[in-house]
Amino acid sequence: MSIELKVIFTAALFAVSAVALAAQQLAQQPARHWAIVVHGGAGVIERSKLTPEAEAAYRASLAKALDEGARLLDRGGTAMDAVEAIINVLEDDPLFNAGRGAVFTAEGKNELDASIMDGSNLMAGAVAGVTRTRHPISLARAVMEKSPHVMLIGAGADDFAARANLEQVNPSFFFTESRWQSLVKQLTKEGRPVPPRPAGAPPPGPVVPVAQIEESPETRILGTVGVVALDRTGNIAAGTSTGGMQAKMPGRVGDSPIIGAGTYASNSSCAVSATGSGEYFIRLSVAREVCNLVAFKGMTLQQAADQVIHKELEALHGDGGVIAITPDGQLVWSFNTPGMFRARQAEGGKAEVQIYADELAANDAGASHP
Ligand code: ASP
């Protein structure tokens, strides 16, 4: 055999063994399945307070949002893409307190907060007090990917959105009659001044109860939206978007755009999105706390979420909940309110959509994918 032939033969042998080794390594990796958990806010959501029509509307919206993510992940989309796409759907849905349908500040404005985090590299982006950007979650992602910063606020954030070619809208785009009536009701009850109806809002229509809910003094629905997702490559991500708390002081920022409080994701522990009375969630660094208990205390995801919500949050008299996911496919929720709008699905499994606390299934001690 000539020298050249020997070289070609040896190189071919190496190539074949390398391919065989790669194939063997691939076969040894467990099959990855995607999974998603979505929330649409927690609060005093009880069967007696939700009309059958309102309940059906919420369930349909959650199922639609989940389906959007499932289709994307089925096509091999990333966890980050799923988080953004699902939240975009919910931001456009007036039933939820995010994007269109957001609650108003005491001065009658919509100030929107959002954040997103990629568990594969700990990159994160957040925005607060946004008033002109249609999809705050997409702006949070743009801050992460296209700026050197993690968080932008107010006019600077909206200006950056315009430069990043994200859709800008008139602030009245976010107006809904039901949220406006709800603000007027709360301010009147508390004896606070009622601001003028926002410029550009449609003329007053019939008084519609919030999201068709039969309101009573105890009805309190927070309505923030959040998503955690796992993709087929094993990466996890989390995102949260909100209008904050109704009648908040102008400039108030809650937990939703705070990385570690309302949102956190790390492939080495878990991804979390929170909803509830934000001040408590900030003080407890709720999202990061759940992941720390998984990473450093060896807790299951359900144990960690329950510990933070039912022990630490309750000790401060805070209310709300979290959704969470791990790279190995545990997908859980935990909340201390009478209800939380929520949905989840793992590849190959069925979609679950739940509202009330008494719908908690037996397998809520940590569902995992098939
Ligand atoms: N956590 C949000 C905030 O405090 C409110 C919510 O979850 O509904 O802004």
Side-chain angles (χ1 to χ4, degrees), residues 222-224 242 244-245 252 254-256 275-278:
L222 298 163
T224 290
T242 188
M245 305 288 280
R252 177 266 187 187
D255 62 311
S256 308
T275 175
S277 33

Side-chain angles (χ1 to χ4, degrees), residues 58-311:
Y58 275 109
R59 288 189 194 274
S61 285
L62 288 166
K64 181 178 153 215
L66 195 65
D67 193 51
E68 174 80 20
R71 277 187 289 118
L72 197 147
L73 290 167
D74 243 351
R75 292 194 304 266
T78 66
M80 283 290 285
D81 288 343
V83 167
E84 183 183 358
I86 296 172
I87 292 183
N88 280 170
V89 170
L90 296 169
E91 284 173 338
D92 281 345
D93 189 329
L95 286 183
F96 300 97
N97 171 19
R100 173 175 261 165
V103 297
F104 292 91
T105 66
E107 291 186 356
K109 302 223 164 65
N110 300 115
E111 295 183 355
L112 312 174
D113 304 337
S115 66
I116 192 164
M117 185 159 184
D118 182 344
S120 71
N121 53 16
L122 302 187
M123 294 287 284
V127 290
V130 167
T131 59
R132 288 188 279 114
T133 303
R134 176 171 174 179
H135 290 125
I137 194 70
S138 299
L139 176 52
R141 187 171 183 180
V143 171
M144 171 186 139
E145 291 176 344
K146 298 179 182 157
S147 90
H149 306 300
V150 168
M151 189 173 204
L152 293 179
I153 61 162
D158 280 318
D159 290 347
F160 176 73
R163 291 201 300 280
N165 290 324
L166 293 175
E167 186 177 346
Q168 299 297 285
V169 292
N170 187 296
S172 63
F173 171 88
F174 302 112
F175 179 96
T176 54
E177 189 64 40
S178 56
R179 294 287 186 205
W180 181 254
Q181 297 297 343
S182 180
L183 174 77
V184 172
K185 202 168 174 176
Q186 179 178 341
L187 293 175
T188 310
K189 202 170 94 196
E190 293 170 3
R192 297 159 73 188
V194 175
R197 202 175 165 85
V207 177
V208 185
V210 171
Q212 309 157 25
I213 288 159
E214 281 169 4
E215 267 201 288
S216 74
E218 326 83 71
T219 310
R220 201 164 77 90
I221 293 185
L222 298 163
T224 290
V225 306
V227 177
V228 293
L230 161 67
D231 64 30
R232 284 200 186 128
T233 68
N235 288 329
I236 54 176
T240 312
S241 183
T242 188
M245 305 288 280
Q246 175 166 284
K248 65 186 180 183
M249 288 171 66
R252 177 266 187 187
V253 178
D255 62 311
S256 308
I258 307 293
I259 297 300
T263 302
Y264 191 74
S266 166
N267 278 7
S268 62
S269 52
C270 66
V272 176
S273 170
T275 175
S277 33
E279 281 69 14
Y280 298 92
F281 283 68
I282 295 175
R283 288 155 62 198
L284 287 170
S285 301
V286 161
R288 180 69 201 256
E289 176 78 347
V290 172
C291 293
N292 280 354
L293 292 176
V294 170
F296 306 124
K297 293 271 190 198
M299 288 190 187
T300 66
L301 191 60
Q302 189 72 57
Q303 286 167 342
D306 287 344
Q307 155 82 22
V308 175
I309 296 302
H310 293 293
K311 299 222 169 80

